[in-house]
Amino acid sequence: MKRKIIPGLFVLAGLTFLGFQKWSEQSSIDRPIPPLQESKASPTVPMTEKDIDRTLEVLKKVEAPSFATVAEELQASGDEEVMESFKDYQKRQKRYDAAFVQYETAHGDYRKAVHAASEANSAEVEAALAKVDQEAEALQTETEALNASSALFLEEYRRYTFEKFGLALN
Amino acid sequence: MRRNPISKPLSFLLLASFTATSSQVYALPSYTGIQNTALKSAQAQAIQRNPGLAGTALFQDHLDSKILYVSPSSKKSQSGVYSPVNGAVNCPVLENQFALTYRLPAASEFETKAAQGAYSPYFDLQYGNYYRFGNLITTLGLKIANAELLKSKPEYAAYKIAEEQLQLKDNQIDEVKSSLAALDSAISTAATLLSVATPDQIAGAKEGLQLAVANRQEKSPALMTQKAQLEAERIPLQNQYFAAKQAWMPFNADLTNLAESINQAQQALAVVDKVANEVFGRNEKTLQAFETKVIGLASASYSIWGTEAADMQVALAQAPLFSNTNFGVRQLPLFNVTLASTVDPASHKAGSNDTSSSPQIDKISAPKNVVFKVAGAKFSDVLPGTTAESSHWVFKTKAGVPLRPIEVKPTASSGTFRADINQGVYCMGSSQRGESTNVASVMPIGGIRKAWLLNSYSYKPRSQRVMAQSVALNYDYHVKADPMRVSCTLDVSKSMDYVRNSGEWNFLWWGEKWDDTRRTTSGFNGVSCKTDENPSDASPNSGDAQARLDALRNKAINEITSEFLLTFAKSWRTEIVEAPQNIPDQTKFFSSLGTGLESICGPNVYCKVTSVVMKSLDEIAGSRSGSTSHHEDFKAVIKRDYNEQSFRTLKGNAVIDLTVDAP
């Protein structure tokens, strides 16, 4: 009888340990972002210029997440302001790209007309130039709109990340 | 004492030499010449003396070092006649886009403006975003510093060392286990071979099995002892590891939390940088579009050559390397001269229409030479010193036409053309943006005021009537490439041991690159290759040169392994295998796969040779005694030497500043 009980206890202890380990892993996955406050075991050091240089060097080598990942994170955060500004930025990017293609096409046609014309100021050249100027104006408008949209998104993103990390806006 | 059936320790040197040479050679500019430091230095001195030589390249003749070739200078100016398109110029739009992209506040106002929000894409990318995200950067810096501090604890170092030592011991144990498994596997393979052997193969197969069993009996006791010893040594290391881990564990959670926090802060800042870069990139695209808008045409004549050869001759004569030396500078032979981005590029004359672009190896005409030599011979004694004279040209084009230096006629590479005049040129005087402006400022991060430097561009209106549009002239030229030498040897004794143990010739012919790593991992240790000169990484087309070097090595290896099998194996079987993916295109460089290979595998060269039965030594040496006792005395080497000389076709360009007088 004793022979059966002792191995049984080992099995039970093993299962309990494995169960605890599994629970620990799960809880580590579900763990929220670590708070900024240092834990008691973690020492703190004052910031030096060398630390700043090293941090900036590290940042140069970090690969940014894809915009799909950023969108997922922002969606999951429930922060509508930052999400909307991000969507608008992406939309503006696409509109800019479309405007650039339009400009390039118009300029290509105009260049051909200039090269083909026996004299530099033919009617064909004038018409093609008018189209180029029109597309240039549209391109400049889209460039300015993109700048404004990205500025808004980055400001919202700053608010979002600073809140997430518990930081005061500087 | 029993006399060895072969009177002396048998030593075969089986040499197959394949040498390439030629008696008639046309000289070419040599790429290796421009690697020459002394020549480079002399060229720099020449350019210093005569700035008009800027942008030239200097080559030495590959046969006669006193002959130099100079490429066209890129400092040429050509005047043209301007025809404007009415109403096309709009400098304010260009100026506005410059401001929109690169606008900077006064240096004293950097912090104030950055605090207020976005200013310009360039300013935000270089300064503003760092300022506004300064607190997050500070936090990140502190986290990184704290993580480093934790890692500097002795508990961390002890834990990592213990972990590494335990891993090292585990690796040693695994290695011994693998050796034991290989001995068993060799027996199993030999037994299988015996079971399928035909009557004339049975004796050889039996011998193989006996050898495998004897090998295991001989080696396994020592391996078992070694294994037990390593396992005993592992126990204290494991205890040490657990103790070190336990000591480190209280700090581990802190380090993990810091790492997570660092990662998230880095990702957030990387998103900011990505957006800022994208926006700046698109602004710059818009700016370039406005800069390159065509606002008129200019007509001009041009010549790719000025007085470079004469000027270089004079300037070099004053350099110490060439003073009191009888040398000559010639124009670099060019062909395929084309004008980039011009309206009517066909109106010029080029130097030649030779369009060869594929490097070809020398004519190799020496037949395979096999030499048997008995005992004590050195390699150098039997290396065939004779090289067959060839009546062919050394360098041939892809079409097989002998390559000759191209003669440049005085009127060639010149003509007339029309080129676009762009808005940037009209508004700012040049198609080059010129020097950027340096702006020094200060960035407050983490309580520290750090010096911060920016380089920026701004709109500078044209200050004179003349404007300069850059026009590029592209051309091709030939240079002699670095020679390649590949020497591969097959140690017959080692290879026979390998085959006897495995029963297979386990690799694919023409399959993959036979680099050193693959030879080692495949367990095939009978073949070694030496490449005397690898193509220089800095040399043009080095990727292509590396591929050709690999092909040359594969060819040598396939030949010696084919020859080994045909000479020393009594029988074998072949299995067709699937062609591996991404195989190098061998036929791109060599037209023949080799008769040895074809006689083994047939037309499908992707074959695997199995069930190999090697000849006994007596069969190889011709003795009838049947003894194998002198096995250890047997030495034989199969060797291939390749020496490849080739040329490359490179592209060059020269820039002409087309100057026109604006209205």
Side-chain angles (χ1 to χ4, degrees):
Chain A
M1 184 66 182
K2 203 174 179 180
R3 276 183 194 168
K4 285 183 183 173
I5 288 171
I6 291 171
L9 283 173
F10 277 121
V11 170
L12 187 62
L15 287 174
T16 310
F17 173 73
L18 286 174
F20 173 74
Q21 218 175 21
K22 190 79 185 162
W23 175 81
S24 305
E25 283 168 11
Q26 187 61 40
S27 60
S28 121
I29 290 165
D30 294 340
R31 192 163 48 214
I33 300 161
L36 277 178
Q37 294 76 13
E38 307 300 334
S39 95
K40 283 175 188 168
S42 172
T44 53
V45 287
M47 190 80 159
T48 64
E49 186 156 356
K50 200 176 158 192
D51 291 330
I52 295 171
D53 288 342
R54 183 174 53 179
T55 308
L56 295 174
E57 277 306 307
V58 165
L59 283 176
K60 281 182 196 164
K61 293 169 192 160
V62 176
E63 197 178 333
S66 70
F67 278 163
T69 309
V70 175
E72 270 175 33
E73 187 200 323
L74 298 182
Q75 189 76 51
S77 73
D79 189 329
E80 284 186 16
E81 284 82 5
V82 70
M83 188 62 208
E84 285 308 311
S85 65
F86 183 59
K87 279 183 185 166
D88 184 68
Y89 166 65
Q90 288 190 296
K91 194 174 75 185
R92 283 289 167 190
Q93 252 194 353
K94 284 179 186 155
R95 286 185 58 159
Y96 170 89
D97 291 344
F100 186 80
V101 171
Q102 295 270 71
Y103 174 84
E104 286 285 272
T105 308
H107 187 260
D109 293 344
Y110 158 70
R111 190 165 176 256
K112 269 185 206 159
V114 171
H115 292 174
S118 54
E119 56 173 303
N121 298 298
S122 66
E124 290 81 10
V125 170
E126 272 179 30
L129 177 62
K131 178 74 175 157
V132 169
D133 289 343
Q134 185 189 330
E135 294 301 341
E137 203 175 323
L139 181 61
Q140 192 153 29
T141 304
E142 285 305 328
T143 309
E144 285 172 16
L146 177 72
N147 292 352
S149 174
S150 69
L152 183 65
F153 166 62
L154 287 180
E155 197 46 40
E156 286 295 335
Y157 192 67
R158 185 165 78 113
R159 179 192 54 73
Y160 162 77
T161 48
F162 277 41
E163 276 175 18
K164 179 177 158 186
F165 283 89
L167 294 171
L169 288 175
N170 56 316
Chain B
M1 188 178 165
R2 185 176 180 273
R3 192 179 163 79
N4 197 317
I6 298 174
S7 58
K8 291 179 182 178
L10 178 63
S11 175
F12 285 125
L13 279 174
L14 194 62
L15 292 169
S17 174
F18 218 33
T19 309
T21 54
S22 164
S23 60
Q24 194 167 11
V25 177
Y26 267 138
L28 281 176
S30 166
Y31 176 75
T32 314
I34 61 166
Q35 300 288 72
N36 183 324
T37 316
L39 188 64
K40 270 184 175 175
S41 167
Q43 184 191 2
Q45 289 164 20
I47 291 171
Q48 207 174 5
R49 283 191 191 94
N50 183 348
L53 291 169
T56 55
L58 200 59
F59 301 85
Q60 218 157 9
D61 188 278
H62 96 276
L63 293 177
D64 184 351
S65 62
K66 288 178 184 164
I67 298 173
L68 300 170
Y69 300 92
V70 63
S71 74
S73 152
S74 62
K75 287 280 178 191
K76 284 196 183 70
S77 184
Q78 215 70 60
S79 62
V81 179
Y82 177 51
S83 311
V85 175
N86 287 345
V89 179
N90 195 341
C91 292
V93 167
L94 184 62
E95 186 175 4
N96 182 53
Q97 187 56 38
F98 255 104
L100 205 65
T101 310
Y102 285 101
R103 192 163 63 116
L104 294 182
S108 59
E109 290 184 338
F110 268 35
E111 290 178 53
T112 322
K113 294 293 180 190
Q116 286 168 0
Y119 192 79
S120 76
Y122 185 72
F123 178 72
D124 294 338
L125 174 71
Q126 298 290 339
Y127 188 94
N129 290 333
Y130 287 94
Y131 182 91
R132 288 192 289 280
F133 283 83
N135 280 357
L136 188 55
I137 296 170
T138 306
T139 301
L140 175 62
L142 283 170
K143 296 276 174 193
I144 292 173
N146 284 338
E148 291 298 319
L149 202 65
L150 269 176
K151 283 182 182 174
S152 69
K153 280 186 164 295
E155 289 89 344
Y156 183 78
Y159 169 58
K160 285 289 160 192
I161 290 168
E163 188 179 50
E164 197 177 313
Q165 285 176 338
L166 185 62
Q167 186 60 55
L168 194 67
K169 193 56 69 183
D170 283 342
N171 290 347
Q172 288 172 343
I173 293 170
D174 287 346
E175 208 172 300
V176 175
K177 282 180 179 170
S178 297
S179 300
L180 281 165
L183 293 172
D184 289 340
S185 169
I187 294 175
S188 170
T189 308
T192 308
L193 282 176
L194 182 58
S195 70
V196 297
T198 56
D200 63 324
Q201 293 172 336
I202 282 177
K206 271 185 183 171
E207 188 189 351
L209 181 57
Q210 282 165 359
L211 271 173
V213 170
N215 199 28
R216 194 194 189 290
Q217 279 173 347
E218 184 195 340
K219 291 177 182 166
S220 69
L223 286 170
M224 293 298 284
T225 309
Q226 194 186 354
K227 181 171 163 270
Q229 192 183 336
L230 288 170
E231 282 171 345
E233 287 167 5
R234 187 186 186 279
I235 293 168
L237 290 177
Q238 184 177 296
N239 294 338
Q240 201 178 322
Y241 168 72
F242 283 131
K245 190 176 178 184
Q246 202 170 8
W248 167 248
M249 272 304 116
F251 306 102
N252 194 46
D254 288 322
L255 188 61
T256 310
N257 281 345
L258 278 170
E260 278 186 44
S261 204
I262 287 168
N263 182 47
Q264 297 212 11
Q266 284 177 342
Q267 295 284 295
L269 288 164
V271 168
V272 175
D273 202 45
K274 183 176 177 177
V275 171
N277 264 306
E278 282 183 352
V279 172
F280 169 70
R282 282 176 169 80
N283 274 265
E284 176 65 28
K285 255 171 84 171
T286 305
L287 181 57
Q288 284 175 20
F290 292 172
E291 278 181 304
T292 54
K293 179 188 175 187
V294 175
I295 50 99
L297 296 175
S299 305
S301 60
Y302 77 96
S303 170
I304 195 168
W305 287 112
T307 53
E308 286 88 344
D311 291 350
M312 187 60 88
Q313 177 88 39
V314 171
L316 281 181
Q318 297 169 56
L321 183 67
F322 291 99
S323 57
N324 304 318
T325 311
N326 183 21
F327 74 99
V329 181
R330 298 177 186 175
Q331 289 177 347
L332 180 70
L334 311 172
F335 61 100
N336 285 347
V337 182
T338 55
L339 279 155
S341 307
T342 53
V343 177
D344 39 10
S347 69
H348 74 283
K349 300 169 204 164
S352 163
N353 61 359
D354 185 336
T355 55
S356 62
S357 60
S358 180
Q360 295 290 304
I361 63 166
D362 287 358
K363 180 75 181 172
I364 298 173
S365 56
K368 190 169 74 172
N369 183 14
V370 180
V371 180
F372 281 85
K373 179 116 179 154
V374 175
K378 290 177 187 170
F379 251 31
S380 55
D381 295 338
V382 290
L383 272 171
T386 54
T387 50
E389 293 288 307
S390 165
S391 60
H392 293 84
W393 302 109
V394 171
F395 302 107
K396 291 188 174 183
T397 64
K398 200 174 183 180
V401 179
L403 179 74
R404 300 160 189 253
I406 295 153
E407 291 171 15
V408 183
K409 294 173 190 168
T411 55
S413 309
S414 62
T416 58
F417 69 104
R418 288 189 303 155
D420 295 334
I421 297 294
N422 296 336
Q423 185 162 253
V425 176
Y426 186 92
C427 298
M428 297 195 294
S430 168
S431 50
Q432 311 296 322
R433 269 194 204 164
E435 296 290 313
S436 57
T437 315
N438 293 331
V439 183
S441 184
V442 171
M443 172 72 72
I445 302 182
I448 291 164
R449 296 183 65 75
K450 189 172 164 46
W452 207 263
L453 198 67
L454 270 74
N455 296 317
S456 185
Y457 290 101
S458 59
Y459 179 82
K460 286 172 189 153
R462 177 162 54 96
S463 58
Q464 54 191 14
R465 284 177 66 88
V466 175
M467 50 193 186
Q469 171 82 52
S470 295
V471 177
L473 278 159
N474 299 323
Y475 56 84
D476 292 349
Y477 61 103
H478 297 310
V479 290
K480 165 90 169 53
D482 288 344
M484 288 183 193
R485 295 189 187 92
V486 171
S487 172
C488 290
T489 57
L490 182 147
D491 184 318
V492 175
S493 193
K494 279 186 183 172
S495 295
M496 287 180 86
D497 282 350
Y498 173 81
V499 175
R500 283 196 176 107
N501 284 332
S502 69
E504 287 189 351
W505 200 238
N506 193 13
F507 63 90
L508 304 175
W509 307 92
W510 295 104
E512 297 170 32
K513 267 171 61 174
W514 271 102
D515 54 20
D516 293 339
T517 312
R518 183 158 183 263
R519 280 199 300 278
T520 309
T521 53
S522 69
F524 178 67
N525 57 7
V527 174
S528 64
C529 284
K530 190 178 162 198
T531 49
D532 289 344
E533 287 187 48
N534 280 319
S536 159
D537 285 342
S539 70
N541 300 334
S542 62
D544 187 46
Q546 187 60 52
R548 288 167 49 247
L549 184 68
D550 291 338
L552 202 61
R553 179 166 45 200
N554 272 16
K555 183 178 169 69
I557 290 177
N558 287 327
E559 283 189 8
I560 56 178
T561 48
S562 300
E563 188 171 319
F564 165 74
L565 204 66
L566 290 166
T567 310
F568 295 104
K570 200 166 11 181
S571 65
W572 63 85
R573 291 179 186 172
T574 57
E575 289 173 13
I576 299 302
V577 296
E578 196 181 334
Q581 289 181 336
N582 302 324
I583 55 166
D585 181 7
Q586 307 281 347
T587 53
K588 182 177 171 188
F589 305 116
F590 304 109
S591 57
S592 164
L593 296 178
T595 50
L597 179 60
E598 282 170 4
S599 58
I600 292 167
C601 292
N604 190 335
V605 292
Y606 301 112
C607 82
K608 179 181 175 182
V609 180
T610 62
S611 309
V612 186
V613 178
M614 300 307 298
K615 288 176 184 170
S616 72
L617 194 62
D618 298 319
E619 286 172 295
I620 296 165
S623 165
R624 295 183 181 278
S625 73
S627 167
T628 56
S629 62
H630 53 270
H631 173 255
E632 289 176 3
D633 297 329
F634 174 74
K635 283 186 173 37
V637 172
I638 304 175
K639 185 175 166 74
R640 284 287 187 286
D641 287 321
Y642 278 105
N643 181 359
E644 188 217 87
Q645 305 285 337
S646 63
F647 73 91
R648 303 275 183 283
T649 305
L650 302 182
K651 293 193 178 300
N653 67 74
V655 178
I656 294 174
D657 274 346
L658 167 62
T659 58
V660 288
D661 194 14

